[in-house]
Amino acid sequence: MKRKLLIIGGVLLACIVCFGALWAVSRLCAPKYHDTLIDGHLTGEYYRETTDHDVLFIGDCEVFEHFSPVTLYNEYGITSYIRGGAQQLVWQSYYLLEDALLTETPKVVVYNVLALKYGEPQSEAYNRLNLDGMRWGSAKIGAIRASMTEGEDFMSYVFPLLRYHDRIASLTAEDFTYWFSDGDPVSFKGYVMHTGVDPATETPTETYEKKLPESSILWLERMAALCEAHGVSLVLIKSPSIYPLWHPEWDAEIAAFAKSHGLRYDNMIAENDAIGIDMQTDTYDQGQHLNVFGAEKLSRYFGAVLRDEFGLADHRGEAAYDADYAALTARYEIGKHE
Amino acid sequence: MLFPSWAFLLFLAVLVPVYYLVPKRIQWIVLLLANGVFVCFAGLLGAVFMAVTIVTVYAASRGIDTLFISQRDTLAAMKATHTKEERKKERLRFEKKRRGILVACLVVNFGILFALKYGAMLGRLSAGLFGTKAFGQDLALTMGISFYTFSTVGYLLDVYRETIPAEKNPLKLALFTSFFPLLVQGPITRFETAGKALTEPHTFSGERFLSASLRIAWGYWKKLIVADRLLVAVRALCAKPDVYRGDFILVEMLLYAACLYADFTGGIDITIGVGEMLGVPIEENFNRPYFSKSISEYWRRWHITLGEWFKRYVYYPLSVSKPMRALSKGTRRFGVGVSRRVPVYLATLLVWALTGAWHGSNLTFLVWGLLNGAVILLSEELKPLYARFHARFPRLTESAFYRGFTVIRTVLLLSSLRILDCYGTVKDAFSSFFSMFTTWNWGAVFRGGVQSLGLSYFDYAVAFSGVLAMFALSMVQRSGAIRPRILKRGTVFSVCVLLVLIGTILIFGRYGFGFDASQFIYNRF
């Protein structure tokens, strides 16, 4: 009996040591997204938040590079967070929202509609950027299942070593620095700051489907239903940009959708002048995305809309928020002037 | 369902507990159902072909068996009433019927195999000759058909020769034909061994499970760490015969030798391990082949079951067949040496031509087979010369240096022949091979050449470490099998070895997104 117990103990110990070693190697091999390709860090950063938010921005790069929660707070006292990711597909946005609603109930959810042009999973790399950082739960499982491209398997999301093991040959200092630590946040409540200027030159043309994919619209329906179920106002926006193009047919389709569901829809491409966006100075990549100067202008403009239309409270003066935003603003200003 | 896939591991993880939890008398039915699932996963067309094989071989074997019984009863009844001549006539009549059934069954089964292997080639040939539309292009070779056809036909021939009685239960024959681990790349098994073990009751044994797991893990280790890595470079080299010439070909030969060994033996390790896990012993297909001192010895140690099959069912019957005996007699006027050699030569070359054809429909395989046969025959002819050399230099030929030389010579020789396996045409293969002797470009090989083959230095380092590990284990195996020695050192030690294997596969294996879930090389045969 004693011998059997010793064997069982030995086997268990061997398994624990082996799994421990594999866990450590798995952490080492997984991309850290801290110094390079920081978009992958955004999803996970949300879980570090200690305060609630009145506004949640959901969508792709046109939210996480176009809206500054720091400006919204400092100008209007609006508390907000951006759950955005690179090429974040509509079903990923849906599940990220579902995940967020487990722990907080914002008053307004703002969804940028550009990603509706994708009706099918697009790229494994972007899936990984957006989903690896999500906490485990039914929302993450749903997001993975909906997002997997050909050749991907669910197991590799559960055990990241199965996906990233080949990185063992190309580890960098970043991998060792953030082996067991997530490091400082790379964003400002989900906002990724760009300070460079690269003026827009010309507007490219492209061929396109006149109608948005049916599957995207179905996911948007689900998102509207989810917000309604939680008593959250859903606002649809199209953030200002020159490219990727947002075609008039798509605009009309979303406007009709918003009308039929009683939602507000703002296509802000047409409001560039009112916002004060100048694509010669407010973009860092020739009109595709806004730099920090453009993002602040847009935040000031849209903050007023949120305050006036949805009656959002001014939280300035509340100790918890002030402390949070003071530290964030200090870091933000350093980043802006670097 | 590929061996290196989650689907297969899940399949195994469900099957093994179910297999041992059900009552022993129905274990074989569970296995038969599992085979059905595995076969259907590979495609319904494959399941149909397999069903045809099972039905025809079952019917033929039963028919032959019944004729044997009828013959015995009839001849016994005739013994008192008929003359010897009449009884002989009756016996011949039965023999003819049996042969008829056998030939019909062989035609159907080899016909399917031929159509699938050569359909596309004949289609191309017809299109080329007569300008017709190519046909048979999409007749993909269904999974394992070369292997199960040979195993099942072997069973039928054994029944025909009265070596074994015909199986009465068609489901048991179906179980033997469709046993899933064998469908990927063999080995070609015999009904009298695997067939019986498949239907016997099996009790779970922890030690056997651990032993089987070690074998399976080692198979995956070779496949995912070494074979799939080297295959990238081999494919790159083969894809551009006009670019990679000269010394690149030597690199290709050696990489392919290591790659094929790791791939094929890795797959067979998984197969045998899975069989062992289910209590079904499967014949070994390799015996440290790269330590052979001659090509004929190599072929007795590499893909043993295919060589045995051809020897048992083609070479021996052909060598002693009436036409061969007549040919031998007819050539006696050229001397005893010639008349003795002619049947051996013909049978050898025919067997090797068939072996080549079994591997594929390309002319390269046929030439490869015939060259193997020719080298073996040449070695036989040179035996007296070797004997004189050994007698003249006994100390040299008994030295480790000479043994090492013969081993390296054999590896280089068989690798040279395998060049034919790498290219689409005989011309490309020969042209590439002979460029080794005309183009000296080691500089190009090591100045960027090897890095252009799709592998990093890290990959080469991992692959060569893997090759060294395989070599070291083969050296240790000279004094006996390794797994019993590991198991003898206790469960904890064995589990540690297993975990190290799994851990290194997970870290250094080529699998997952971005890598080809590549099928085993021998699966395409």
Side-chain angles (χ1 to χ4, degrees), chain B residues 252-456:
Chain B
E252 177 184 323
M253 277 165 45
L254 297 176
L255 290 182
Y256 188 50
C259 174
L260 193 60
Y261 175 82
D263 190 273
F264 197 10
T265 63
I268 292 294
D269 283 334
I270 298 170
T271 298
I272 292 176
V274 171
E276 193 178 329
M277 210 170 249
L278 299 166
V280 180
I282 294 172
E283 289 152 72
E284 291 291 344
N285 215 18
F286 299 96
N287 176 19
R288 302 188 306 113
Y290 286 167
F291 286 89
S292 306
K293 297 184 193 72
S294 68
I295 286 278
S296 32
E297 185 190 347
Y298 165 78
W299 279 111
R300 288 193 297 274
R301 298 168 70 162
W302 173 277
H303 208 173
I304 296 168
T305 55
L306 181 70
E308 285 290 318
W309 195 95
F310 273 113
K311 216 182 286 172
R312 186 176 292 122
Y313 301 115
V314 182
Y315 182 77
Y316 290 145
L318 193 68
S319 304
V320 296
S321 64
K322 270 185 194 168
M324 282 296 188
R325 287 205 304 267
L327 191 66
S328 179
K329 208 172 165 185
T331 52
R332 214 169 271 171
R333 59 197 158 114
F334 299 110
V336 181
V338 174
S339 80
R340 195 168 45 83
R341 281 183 174 86
V342 166
V344 175
Y345 270 51
L346 275 179
T348 303
L349 289 174
L350 183 70
V351 163
W352 279 103
L354 288 174
T355 306
W358 180 88
H359 280 82
S361 61
N362 254 355
L363 188 60
T364 49
F365 289 110
L366 189 66
V367 175
W368 168 84
L370 288 170
L371 280 176
N372 267 287
V375 171
I376 288 168
L377 290 174
L378 187 67
S379 305
E380 283 298 311
E381 288 301 324
L382 293 176
K383 258 187 181 169
L385 196 66
Y386 289 143
R388 281 210 294 278
F389 180 74
H390 283 234
R392 177 78 178 79
F393 304 105
R395 285 182 63 186
L396 172 69
T397 53
E398 280 164 21
S399 67
F401 168 78
Y402 185 76
R403 282 202 302 273
F405 161 74
T406 53
V407 165
I408 291 169
R409 179 195 61 188
T410 307
V411 168
L412 285 176
L413 187 55
L414 66 93
S415 300
S416 304
L417 295 174
R418 276 207 198 113
I419 282 285
L420 284 152
D421 190 7
C422 297
Y423 294 99
T425 66
V426 176
K427 188 184 159 212
D428 277 345
F430 278 117
S431 160
S432 299
F433 177 73
F434 287 111
S435 74
M436 263 196 309
F437 306 103
T438 54
T439 309
W440 300 90
N441 53 353
W442 280 113
V445 171
F446 289 112
R447 276 199 304 273
V450 287
Q451 295 115 289
S452 68
L453 303 177
L455 294 182
S456 63

Side-chain angles (χ1 to χ4, degrees), chain A residues 6-7 10-11 14-15 18 22 25 124 149-153 155 161-163 165-166 168-169, chain B residues 6 456 458 491-492 495-496 499-500 502-515:
Chain A
L6 273 174
I7 291 173
V11 169
C15 289
C18 180
L22 286 176
V25 175
E124 191 262 354
T149 53
E150 201 186 334
E152 281 190 77
D153 59 75
M155 288 292 280
L161 181 65
L162 302 179
R163 170 64 185 90
H165 60 100
D166 60 314
I168 193 102
Chain B
W6 290 113
S456 63
F458 179 83
T491 308
V492 176
V495 169
C496 286
L499 291 173
V500 167
I502 294 171
T504 45
I505 293 168
L506 289 175
I507 296 168
F508 299 110
R510 283 180 74 87
Y511 63 88
F513 192 86
F515 296 110

